Amino acid sequence: MRNEGPPAFPSGPGDPLAGRRVLVLISGSIAAVKLPLLVSALVQRGALVRCVLSPSAEGLVSAVALASLSRAPCHLEADQWSHQAPRPLHIELAEWAEVVLLAPLSATSLARWVHGLADTLLASTLLACEAPVLAAPAMNSAMWAAPAVRRNWRELQSWERVLPLEPGSGLLACDRVGDGRMADPAVLLLALESLLLVGCRRDWRGRRLLVSAGPTREPLDPARCLTNPSTGRMGVLLAQAARFRGATVDLVHGPLAVDPAWLEGLQVHPVDTAAAMQAALEGLQAGADAIAMAAAVADHRRSAPETAKLAKQDLEACLATGWEPVPDLLAALVRRRPPAQAILGFAAQSGEVLQEARAKFARKGCDLLFANPIDRPGAGFASATNDGWLLGPGSRERRFEAGGKLALAHRLLSALAEVLTLRIPDRVPAGR
Ligand SMILES: Cc1cc2nc3c(=O)[nH]c(=O)nc-3n(C[C@H](O)[C@H](O)[C@H](O)COP(=O)(O)O)c2cc1C
């Protein structure tokens, strides 16, 4: 096999995809046309990529495009029967893979896999492979609802080595609107990263997580507002990481600056002001096993926002008065919580992080507090990476070195799951 050298493209610090061997198995769904660009994105992140097309997929997407974008041969059905291969190709490929992206997964390939058939290069590679598999089905909504497909998909949920990614709803190539649309490529990338970070862990299965993300926006007048530079990235990644680990996730979010596809699979509750965020969170609190308050909520708001736009020359005088503090949302949730609920708060700090965070942790009464700097490059608002301190029960303080926000999200979820497990040991999920 070629393509073993160091990645040709620079990737971000600690990118979980860099240098990893990703085997992309593409079966016969029209969603296969999305794969060449996804393969290109993987290669640009430093991954080593090999592609296999099923016989039907060969008619739907260009093997030449895939070979060119992956910088490696794209394997077709006929390649399995080469008289020059010293070892069977499906074994070579299966042993090469560190992780498998099975996308799109057709109804036929799903059935073959679940029933142990190995009658194509793709199917035999899949059976021979011991690496974790991210499986992303795509099909017409009636096919997806068919009892046989439902049964096969249910069966897959219980396999330890598989991260099954439900298709979403939307306009399908058959002109229907409904379930069966392959997960967005941006979400496939996140899920693949997640697989490389924590494997197919499903320790949040059966649990409900409530997450807040993004800034709030407090109006001054119809044309102006008070807000902050939060993008919502940390909260949204926490929500997706929990979903990949089996949780049902409610996301209450202010105006976000992340790829809208990252909201796929989450129950979203968009809000604008701190008051609306508080109402939404309090409405959802009772049903949640845990809460992660990653939103950057405004500290102050106008007691009475102007109903007409203020003239420029009146701004200064008007802004000198008329402010009121926003109630502390985290503290309010802590006061109202059911006894078994675990709560993680965030503290954005400038200057010295730990001393301030200790005082905040004592004041807020949450189970965990993650304090991160916002006055350094590579951490805080709008950054792809973060670092900080996690303060927890029994005065436990853990330093988290700089890393990607998805990796951090997983560490925080593990800490939150620990709190839940300690609190209600009889509810340890049966997940992996
Ligand atoms: C244009 C076209 C689009 C198709 N789209 C899908 C699809 O989205 N999902 C699916 O399960 N099958 C789809 N099929 C049918 C599969 O290609 C067919 O069931 C095939 O046997 C799948 O085999 P494979 O899993 O080995 O690729 C489509 C067929 C055609 C001709």
Short mmCIF file of all heavy atoms in Angstrom, two decimals, residues 27-30 54-57 60 105-109 112 120 138-140 143, ligand 1:
data_model
loop_
_atom_site.label_atom_id
_atom_site.label_comp_id
_atom_site.label_asym_id
_atom_site.label_seq_id
_atom_site.Cartn_x
_atom_site.Cartn_y
_atom_site.Cartn_z
N SER A 27 -21.07 3.10 -0.75
CA SER A 27 -22.02 2.20 -1.41
C SER A 27 -23.00 2.98 -2.27
O SER A 27 -22.92 4.21 -2.36
CB SER A 27 -22.70 1.28 -0.38
OG SER A 27 -23.52 2.01 0.49
N GLY A 28 -23.94 2.24 -2.90
CA GLY A 28 -24.72 2.78 -4.01
C GLY A 28 -25.89 3.66 -3.65
O GLY A 28 -27.04 3.29 -3.85
N SER A 29 -25.60 4.86 -3.15
CA SER A 29 -26.63 5.87 -2.94
C SER A 29 -26.18 7.13 -3.66
O SER A 29 -24.97 7.40 -3.75
CB SER A 29 -26.78 6.17 -1.44
OG SER A 29 -27.29 7.47 -1.26
N ILE A 30 -27.16 7.91 -4.12
CA ILE A 30 -26.81 9.14 -4.82
C ILE A 30 -26.03 10.10 -3.92
O ILE A 30 -25.27 10.94 -4.40
CB ILE A 30 -28.08 9.79 -5.42
CG1 ILE A 30 -27.74 10.91 -6.39
CG2 ILE A 30 -29.03 10.28 -4.34
CD1 ILE A 30 -27.03 10.44 -7.63
N SER A 54 -18.53 0.42 -4.09
CA SER A 54 -19.31 -0.78 -4.38
C SER A 54 -19.62 -0.76 -5.88
O SER A 54 -19.52 0.28 -6.52
CB SER A 54 -20.61 -0.78 -3.58
OG SER A 54 -21.52 0.13 -4.15
N PRO A 55 -20.03 -1.90 -6.44
CA PRO A 55 -20.34 -1.91 -7.88
C PRO A 55 -21.39 -0.86 -8.24
O PRO A 55 -21.26 -0.19 -9.27
CB PRO A 55 -20.87 -3.33 -8.11
CG PRO A 55 -20.26 -4.16 -7.02
CD PRO A 55 -20.12 -3.24 -5.84
N SER A 56 -22.41 -0.66 -7.41
CA SER A 56 -23.42 0.35 -7.74
C SER A 56 -22.85 1.76 -7.60
O SER A 56 -23.19 2.65 -8.39
CB SER A 56 -24.63 0.25 -6.81
OG SER A 56 -24.95 -1.07 -6.56
N ALA A 57 -22.02 1.96 -6.60
CA ALA A 57 -21.44 3.30 -6.41
C ALA A 57 -20.54 3.68 -7.59
O ALA A 57 -20.41 4.87 -7.91
CB ALA A 57 -20.65 3.34 -5.10
N LEU A 60 -22.23 5.89 -9.83
CA LEU A 60 -22.78 7.15 -9.28
C LEU A 60 -21.73 8.22 -9.01
O LEU A 60 -22.04 9.40 -8.97
CB LEU A 60 -23.52 6.85 -7.98
CG LEU A 60 -24.80 6.03 -8.11
CD1 LEU A 60 -25.28 5.52 -6.76
CD2 LEU A 60 -25.90 6.86 -8.78
N LEU A 105 -24.27 4.66 3.33
CA LEU A 105 -24.56 3.24 3.53
C LEU A 105 -25.94 2.96 2.92
O LEU A 105 -26.94 3.52 3.37
CB LEU A 105 -24.56 2.94 5.03
CG LEU A 105 -25.04 1.56 5.46
CD1 LEU A 105 -24.21 0.44 4.83
CD2 LEU A 105 -25.00 1.42 6.99
N SER A 106 -25.96 2.13 1.89
CA SER A 106 -27.23 1.80 1.21
C SER A 106 -27.98 0.73 2.01
O SER A 106 -27.39 0.03 2.85
CB SER A 106 -26.96 1.29 -0.20
OG SER A 106 -26.42 -0.01 -0.11
N ALA A 107 -29.26 0.59 1.69
CA ALA A 107 -30.07 -0.46 2.33
C ALA A 107 -29.45 -1.83 2.06
O ALA A 107 -29.38 -2.69 2.95
CB ALA A 107 -31.50 -0.40 1.81
N THR A 108 -28.95 -2.03 0.84
CA THR A 108 -28.37 -3.33 0.48
C THR A 108 -27.09 -3.61 1.27
O THR A 108 -26.91 -4.70 1.81
CB THR A 108 -28.05 -3.37 -1.04
OG1 THR A 108 -29.24 -3.07 -1.75
CG2 THR A 108 -27.51 -4.71 -1.46
N SER A 109 -26.22 -2.60 1.34
CA SER A 109 -24.95 -2.83 2.06
C SER A 109 -25.19 -3.00 3.55
O SER A 109 -24.47 -3.77 4.21
CB SER A 109 -23.97 -1.68 1.81
OG SER A 109 -23.40 -1.85 0.53
N ARG A 112 -26.39 -6.60 3.87
CA ARG A 112 -25.25 -7.52 3.70
C ARG A 112 -24.42 -7.60 4.97
O ARG A 112 -24.04 -8.66 5.43
CB ARG A 112 -24.34 -7.00 2.58
CG ARG A 112 -24.78 -7.35 1.19
CD ARG A 112 -23.54 -7.29 0.28
NE ARG A 112 -23.95 -7.39 -1.10
CZ ARG A 112 -24.10 -6.34 -1.92
NH1 ARG A 112 -23.87 -5.12 -1.49
NH2 ARG A 112 -24.48 -6.53 -3.16
N THR A 120 -19.03 -8.79 -2.08
CA THR A 120 -18.42 -7.71 -2.89
C THR A 120 -17.12 -7.31 -2.18
O THR A 120 -16.91 -7.68 -1.01
CB THR A 120 -19.32 -6.45 -2.98
OG1 THR A 120 -19.51 -5.94 -1.65
CG2 THR A 120 -20.68 -6.76 -3.61
N ALA A 138 -28.09 6.40 3.89
CA ALA A 138 -28.80 7.37 3.04
C ALA A 138 -29.75 6.58 2.16
O ALA A 138 -29.33 5.61 1.53
CB ALA A 138 -27.81 8.14 2.18
N MET A 139 -31.00 6.98 2.17
CA MET A 139 -31.96 6.33 1.27
C MET A 139 -33.28 7.08 1.25
O MET A 139 -33.50 7.98 2.09
CB MET A 139 -32.15 4.86 1.65
CG MET A 139 -32.77 4.59 2.98
SD MET A 139 -32.52 2.86 3.52
CE MET A 139 -30.79 2.82 3.98
N ASN A 140 -34.11 6.71 0.34
CA ASN A 140 -35.47 7.23 0.22
C ASN A 140 -36.22 6.98 1.54
O ASN A 140 -35.97 5.97 2.22
CB ASN A 140 -36.09 6.49 -0.98
CG ASN A 140 -37.58 6.45 -0.94
OD1 ASN A 140 -38.16 5.63 -0.22
ND2 ASN A 140 -38.20 7.31 -1.69
N MET A 143 -37.91 3.63 1.98
CA MET A 143 -36.92 2.56 2.20
C MET A 143 -36.44 2.59 3.66
O MET A 143 -36.32 1.57 4.32
CB MET A 143 -35.71 2.73 1.26
CG MET A 143 -36.01 2.43 -0.19
SD MET A 143 -34.61 2.92 -1.25
CE MET A 143 -33.47 1.56 -1.04
C1 LIG B 1 -29.60 6.71 -9.05
C2 LIG B 1 -29.71 5.71 -7.93
C3 LIG B 1 -29.75 6.16 -6.65
C4 LIG B 1 -29.86 5.27 -5.57
N1 LIG B 1 -29.90 5.74 -4.30
C5 LIG B 1 -29.98 4.87 -3.28
C6 LIG B 1 -29.97 5.33 -1.94
O1 LIG B 1 -29.89 6.54 -1.66
N2 LIG B 1 -30.01 4.42 -0.94
C7 LIG B 1 -30.09 3.09 -1.19
O2 LIG B 1 -30.14 2.30 -0.23
N3 LIG B 1 -30.12 2.63 -2.45
C8 LIG B 1 -30.07 3.47 -3.50
N4 LIG B 1 -30.08 3.00 -4.78
C9 LIG B 1 -30.18 1.56 -5.00
C10 LIG B 1 -28.85 0.85 -4.74
O3 LIG B 1 -27.85 1.37 -5.54
C11 LIG B 1 -29.03 -0.65 -4.97
O4 LIG B 1 -29.90 -1.13 -3.96
C12 LIG B 1 -27.74 -1.42 -4.91
O5 LIG B 1 -28.04 -2.77 -4.90
C13 LIG B 1 -26.90 -1.09 -3.69
O6 LIG B 1 -25.79 -1.95 -3.67
P1 LIG B 1 -24.48 -1.59 -2.83
O7 LIG B 1 -24.92 -1.46 -1.44
O8 LIG B 1 -23.58 -2.75 -3.05
O9 LIG B 1 -23.94 -0.34 -3.38
C14 LIG B 1 -29.96 3.88 -5.85
C15 LIG B 1 -29.89 3.43 -7.16
C16 LIG B 1 -29.79 4.33 -8.19
C17 LIG B 1 -29.75 3.81 -9.60
#
